[in-house]
Amino acid sequence: MALTGRFVVLLALGVVPVVLVGSEWALAGWVAIVVLLAAVDLAAAPSPRRVRITRDLPARVRLGESVRADAVLSNTGSRTIRGTVRDAWQPSAGAATTRHSLLLPAGERRTFSTTLTPFRRGERRSSSMTIRSMGPLGIAMRQATIFTPGYIRVLPPFNSRKHLPSRLARLRELDGRTSVLIRGQGTEFDSLREYVRGDDVRSIDWRATARRTDPVQGGPALVVRTWRPERDRRVVVIVDSGRTSAARIDSEPRIDTAFESTLLLAALASRAGDRVDVVVFDQRVRGRVQGATGADLMSRLVDTMAGIDPQLVETDWTAVPALVRSVTAQRALVVLATSIDSPGAARGLLAVLPQLTRTHMVLVSSVTDPSVLDAIHERANRTSVYRAAAAERALLDVARVSAAIRQLGAEVVTGSPEELPPALADRYIALKAAGLL
Amino acid sequence: MSQTVDEARVQFAGGTVTTPRLRSTARGLLYWIVIAIVLVIFGLSTVALTGTSQSKARLSGTNPGVDGAAALIAVLRQDGVQVYTPRTLDAAKSDAAADPHHTTVVLYDQAAVLRESQLKELSSVSPRLIMVDPGYRSSETLTPTIDEGGTSDSGILSAKCDLPGARRAGSVTGIQDLYRINGGDATGCFPEFSYYGLVRVTTAEQTITVVGGSTMFTNGSILQKGNAALALGLFGQSNHLVWYLPSAADATGKPDGIIPVPSWLTPVIVLAGLVLVSAGVWRGRRFGPVVVERMPVFVRASETLEGRARLYQKSSDRTHALDSLRIGAIGRMATTCGLPARASLDDVIGAIARVTGTSVAELRDLLIDELPATDVDLLRYSDRLADLESSVAKAVRPR
């Protein structure tokens, strides 16, 4: 049951008879009349319980995009329902409006569309719809809440996909290049082709040259071997979802930046023919994508990442070597998307790095705070000088941890939230070019 | 590779209605409603059985409490006095007029309800009138020959007069107001200096007795000193006693000096309250259940930086702060000069001296030796470090 503004106005109009008659009985009479009218109106209102609801929702939406969420209301009763309907979306679903005015003739159905612009990853739900049905006099309404669960899956935005075309182009450049600079232990033999000026003379295949005679010039043409970057390597990304990943830098939590870099790296590596496996881990595995390739890999990645929030626990690094072993026994590029803040906090990471670097190529990627760099140059007054000193100390800590990581045989990639995903992709390409995978 | 999220849509079917029906709500409430009705009936019947005639009014003949006068009235009735206890002026007048010459009228107008004309009406039908603790208006109207003259300190006074009731009482407690006799035929009792706690004014047609206190007649005090004797002496003189306590029903007509209130004012105020409540119900009625959402925790990463800066500043740890600034600046300048990360400090200072032309001693002072004594020093060193850094950058990479 709910009252309308008309009820209040009607009650307030009672001031006229009360003043004219000038007694308590006028008041009592008026209140009785209004209450009686409301009761009659309420009894005469069509039942909102006779409405059947189905939802028609998009299965997935990328964070930052808008989608249309439909709800189809059909009136199974015998009377027209007038009133209001409320769709109880969670606040972070970003519904443009949660209320619609309702006019539902008997036996008909209407679709109510709500534009959702979610502002958080994960499953955004609406568990029920509430319908208010107004009586013929419009002074009282019947209300019923109908349990209508529905949800949309909000995926990570993958904004860094704008970097993908340029990186793919650079990846293609690696293909078919002679081994001028890129020849290494891991490069694979690709094909033979004719020597052109500028090729490394060391890559001339004399045996092939001897076997071959140039059909046009008649004379022997030099033949060089070409190399392509090795394929079918393993890339294992471990995303740290522990408490340090809850830190927000430039309005983006660390874990979101880690997801962005992972997505870009996975897109790139799967195009380059490598196998990508991703595990999100803090004290236990929060998400795992293994053995997927191509489009399936990306959709499974975003689906897995959608629901993962940072956990306020310390990451258990001692379990990570075993985790990597469970993914692959081969040599792999192991990317640890975590944060390197202070020697104290990185102790767990540093302790297990030797185990990983023994068999794998390890890359530690971490977000740096651009405001720290800004703070160093801000020295206008006493407070800002102390702040600059603290910022220098923070950078020093990062530098020390980075140095320790490099000493243990791993590599470090750092960057601001916008820079880190392309930086990680570039490092991957560089490693691939150098044949270090 | 899914560059775009697929356009698949999912259908969800609606389920049950979660709002309880009015009928089931009422059924749930029925238990409590029944309990409430039983309690009300029980309470009403208890009141009905134990009698509702008890009064809470002071000096009421039916009030058995500390400040009632039920004891006095009961004793008078046992002595054969016919006691009437009217609560309205009309009833009091008719009781008094039945047998005026054998009737004593007692007036105790605690709230000063009676107006002058009403006082006179009462006085005209009662040859024997006793006013207990009269207010200014009562005594001024009916006994103009005596004035109120202050209050008694102790309240315990001796009779010292010839009135039989008073003389038998000896001394009494509870006298508050004292009166001065200004002439006329008046007898004063219970004196304090030239003021009296009890005055009997006698005129040709009536005697009016004024008692400057009411406490001595209450159940709580009637047994003290000679209170009981005084009471019986005053009120037991005649066969009939009209024990009149004016009530709100006597307050007729417009009181002096108060603006008349229209009769619709109270109902309108009540109506305004009802409108307010219904407006609250109108706006406050929840449109379905509250939506809950678990929010993840996110912390600003620079919190630790700010915290450390405040810690430095609070403890005035200038040396530490300056050291941090120095280490950072040296590292950056070494990189600018093209030195490896492992270069020693002397190498760096030597390189800076060569590039900028500053003396090595001066650089050592700035970069290593000097300690900041005050915050001003710290600011100065910080500025000099920044200057040095920019001059190194300018010297190495001139634009």
Side-chain angles (χ1 to χ4, degrees):
Chain A
M1 193 207 102
L3 299 177
T4 65
R6 264 188 224 184
F7 178 88
V8 180
V9 171
L10 198 63
L11 193 63
L13 281 178
V15 77
V16 176
V18 166
V19 169
L20 287 181
V21 177
S23 92
E24 298 84 359
W25 294 109
L27 173 68
W30 186 262
V31 170
I33 289 170
V34 173
V35 168
L36 194 70
L37 278 179
V40 166
D41 200 29
L42 196 65
S47 173
R49 292 164 189 272
R50 306 295 294 272
V51 174
R52 293 285 166 274
I53 301 175
T54 47
R55 287 181 188 275
D56 180 28
L57 302 178
R60 309 150 117 201
V61 56
R62 208 170 257 148
L63 187 66
E65 289 174 358
S66 297
V67 285
R68 201 188 74 238
D70 291 340
V72 182
L73 273 66
S74 46
N75 185 356
T76 61
S78 55
R79 294 162 60 196
T80 300
I81 294 178
R82 274 167 230 277
T84 324
V85 59
R86 173 206 180 206
D87 199 351
W89 282 105
Q90 288 180 338
S92 65
T97 174
T98 53
R99 281 155 203 232
H100 301 277
S101 65
L102 181 71
L103 176 62
L104 203 56
E108 294 190 18
R109 57 166 64 184
R110 293 280 185 274
T111 302
F112 293 88
S113 297
T114 311
T115 306
L116 301 179
T117 315
F119 53 85
R120 269 185 55 214
R121 274 190 293 114
E123 267 177 16
R124 303 279 71 91
R125 310 179 154 278
S126 168
S127 61
S128 60
M129 290 184 89
T130 305
I131 297 169
R132 277 183 180 175
S133 156
M134 201 158 23
L137 298 174
I139 57 178
M141 295 188 283
R142 292 176 72 174
Q143 175 173 325
T145 299
I146 299 171
F147 182 64
T148 325
Y151 64 87
I152 54 169
R153 208 168 169 75
V154 185
L155 307 177
F158 196 15
N159 291 324
S160 59
R161 65 181 181 276
K162 64 185 175 221
H163 299 293
L164 193 57
S166 62
R167 265 67 189 180
L168 284 174
R170 282 175 53 192
L171 199 64
R172 274 194 298 275
E173 284 167 17
L174 292 180
D175 261 340
R177 265 173 73 177
T178 55
S179 59
V180 178
L181 289 171
I182 60 167
R183 187 172 177 186
Q185 211 180 5
T187 46
E188 291 174 359
F189 172 70
D190 185 20
S191 60
L192 296 169
R193 63 170 169 80
E194 235 170 69
Y195 176 83
V196 291
R197 195 172 286 178
D199 281 347
D200 187 356
V201 289
R202 284 174 301 177
S203 61
I204 295 173
D205 188 337
W206 295 109
R207 226 183 280 177
T209 306
R211 271 204 299 273
R212 183 169 174 174
T213 327
D214 188 354
V216 182
Q217 294 181 345
L222 292 173
V223 173
V224 292
R225 289 171 183 229
T226 60
W227 310 88
R228 61 169 189 188
E230 70 274 83
R231 300 178 73 85
D232 295 324
R233 301 287 136 172
R234 303 291 299 247
V235 177
V236 181
V237 185
I238 309 283
V239 178
D240 174 10
S241 61
R243 67 182 173 82
T244 51
S245 67
R248 203 181 59 209
I249 295 171
D250 264 8
S251 81
E252 186 174 290
R254 274 204 177 109
I255 197 166
D256 284 8
T257 313
F259 285 163
E260 285 285 309
S261 352
T262 306
L263 287 172
L264 184 61
L265 180 65
L268 197 60
S270 66
R271 292 285 183 90
D274 291 339
R275 285 183 56 189
V276 183
D277 303 300
V278 176
V279 182
V280 184
F281 180 78
D282 42 78
Q283 284 190 345
R284 56 186 191 81
V285 175
R286 304 280 164 191
R288 185 196 281 259
V289 176
Q290 229 175 304
T293 50
D296 180 40
L297 170 72
M298 294 313 283
S299 71
R300 275 181 59 188
L301 271 181
V302 286
D303 240 14
T304 308
M305 287 170 177
I308 299 179
D309 283 324
Q311 307 291 318
L312 294 187
V313 293
E314 190 75 43
T315 305
D316 180 17
W317 285 106
T318 54
V320 170
L323 193 65
V324 174
R325 252 197 316 280
S326 76
V327 176
T328 176
Q330 289 171 240
R331 178 184 160 80
L333 170 67
V334 176
V335 178
L336 303 177
T338 178
S339 59
I340 43 179
D341 272 342
S342 63
R347 194 171 298 142
L349 169 66
L350 293 175
V352 299
L353 267 184
Q355 297 181 50
L356 290 171
T357 51
R358 206 175 299 143
T359 36
H360 305 293
M361 175 75 219
V362 180
L363 197 54
V364 179
S365 93
S366 167
V367 193
T368 52
D369 193 347
S371 71
V372 175
L373 287 172
D374 295 343
I376 287 173
H377 302 292
E378 188 65 42
R379 300 196 183 171
N381 55 35
R382 198 164 64 111
T383 311
S384 59
V385 166
Y386 278 114
R387 208 161 165 268
E392 292 275 24
R393 175 62 58 178
L395 283 187
L396 201 63
D397 282 343
V398 173
R400 280 168 64 194
V401 177
S402 303
I405 290 173
R406 288 199 182 96
Q407 217 159 24
L408 292 171
E411 298 223 13
V412 179
V413 184
T414 56
S416 66
E418 295 84 49
E419 293 163 357
L420 186 63
L424 184 65
D426 289 347
R427 187 62 68 92
Y428 165 77
I429 293 172
L431 287 173
K432 203 164 182 59
L436 288 175
L437 295 189
Chain B
M1 186 58 244
S2 73
Q3 284 282 351
T4 52
V5 172
D6 42 65
E7 292 297 311
R9 290 181 81 87
V10 189
Q11 316 292 320
F12 295 89
T16 48
V17 178
T18 51
T19 310
R21 282 182 177 280
L22 196 61
R23 219 173 298 149
S24 57
T25 312
R27 209 172 297 137
L29 282 176
L30 192 65
Y31 174 75
W32 296 106
I33 292 171
V34 167
I35 293 249
I37 290 173
V38 166
L39 281 179
V40 166
I41 290 173
F42 180 74
L44 286 178
S45 57
T46 310
V47 168
L49 287 177
T50 53
T52 55
S53 55
Q54 285 190 7
S55 161
K56 292 274 177 217
R58 187 174 164 85
L59 282 198
S60 166
T62 54
N63 179 359
V66 174
D67 61 352
L72 173 61
I73 300 299
V75 170
L76 285 170
R77 283 193 171 128
Q78 276 173 17
D79 286 356
V81 177
Q82 178 97 36
V83 182
Y84 309 94
T85 55
R87 294 305 308 263
T88 61
L89 181 63
D90 292 340
K93 281 195 297 188
S94 65
D95 288 342
D99 188 5
H101 293 285
H102 296 98
T103 303
T104 305
V105 177
V106 178
L107 171 67
Y108 175 58
D109 190 4
Q110 188 190 8
V113 173
L114 297 187
R115 304 181 60 244
E116 278 180 31
S117 57
Q118 292 172 310
L119 286 166
K120 281 180 179 156
E121 280 175 41
L122 181 69
S123 172
S124 66
V125 295
S126 41
R128 268 198 291 266
L129 180 64
I130 300 176
M131 292 198 287
V132 176
D133 200 10
Y136 172 79
R137 193 194 295 150
S138 310
S139 61
E140 196 68 6
T141 308
L142 300 182
T143 54
T145 55
I146 61 172
D147 293 335
E148 264 192 64
T151 56
S152 168
D153 294 332
S154 62
I156 304 172
L157 297 172
S158 303
K160 293 180 188 164
C161 70
D162 290 337
L163 288 182
R167 201 176 56 236
R168 261 204 309 281
S171 67
V172 296
T173 66
I175 300 271
Q176 286 168 336
D177 297 331
L178 299 175
Y179 301 92
R180 194 175 58 191
I181 299 169
N182 272 346
D185 184 1
T187 316
C189 292
F190 305 104
E192 190 172 280
F193 307 111
S194 58
Y195 299 95
Y196 302 95
L198 185 151
V199 179
R200 172 162 290 174
V201 179
T202 312
T203 56
E205 58 270 20
Q206 68 176 166
T207 58
I208 300 180
T209 311
V210 175
V211 186
S214 57
T215 317
M216 65 282 267
F217 305 129
T218 62
N219 297 335
S221 307
I222 190 105
L223 295 178
Q224 292 170 2
K225 301 273 183 183
N227 291 356
L230 176 67
L232 294 178
L234 283 177
F235 308 132
Q237 293 294 311
S238 50
N239 295 334
H240 302 278
L241 178 68
V242 177
W243 189 262
Y244 173 43
L245 311 180
S247 63
D250 292 329
T252 53
K254 296 177 209 156
D256 310 322
I258 294 176
I259 301 160
V261 174
S263 59
W264 47 261
L265 187 68
T266 314
V268 165
I269 290 171
V270 172
L271 181 66
L274 289 176
V275 168
L276 200 71
V277 169
S278 64
V281 172
W282 166 44
R283 299 309 305 171
R285 172 75 171 100
R286 232 169 38 198
F287 204 157
V290 172
V291 177
V292 290
E293 181 173 2
R294 278 178 66 92
M295 301 294 280
V297 181
F298 289 117
V299 197
R300 233 158 35 101
S302 52
E303 292 287 342
T304 49
L305 172 74
E306 310 282 351
R308 189 182 270 167
R310 275 195 294 272
L311 207 62
Y312 283 165
Q313 188 170 358
K314 218 171 182 178
S315 57
S316 295
D317 198 354
R318 296 178 204 96
T319 318
H320 212 124
L322 186 60
D323 273 353
S324 299
L325 293 175
R326 278 168 170 166
I327 294 170
I330 288 169
R332 280 191 297 276
M333 285 189 290
T335 315
T336 317
C337 294
L339 295 172
R342 299 279 170 86
S344 74
L345 192 53
D346 287 330
D347 292 346
V348 178
I349 289 177
I352 297 169
R354 272 197 304 284
V355 168
T356 59
T358 325
S359 74
V360 171
E362 195 183 326
L363 284 175
R364 279 195 77 87
D365 275 352
L366 175 59
L367 292 177
I368 305 168
D369 293 336
E370 282 183 50
L371 294 178
T374 62
D375 279 344
V376 178
D377 279 353
L378 178 65
L379 268 164
R380 208 174 53 237
Y381 287 128
S382 141
D383 286 346
R384 281 175 60 192
L385 276 173
D387 288 346
L388 182 67
E389 215 178 306
S390 63
S391 64
V392 167
K394 219 173 280 173
V396 173
R397 281 193 285 269
R399 304 210 168 209

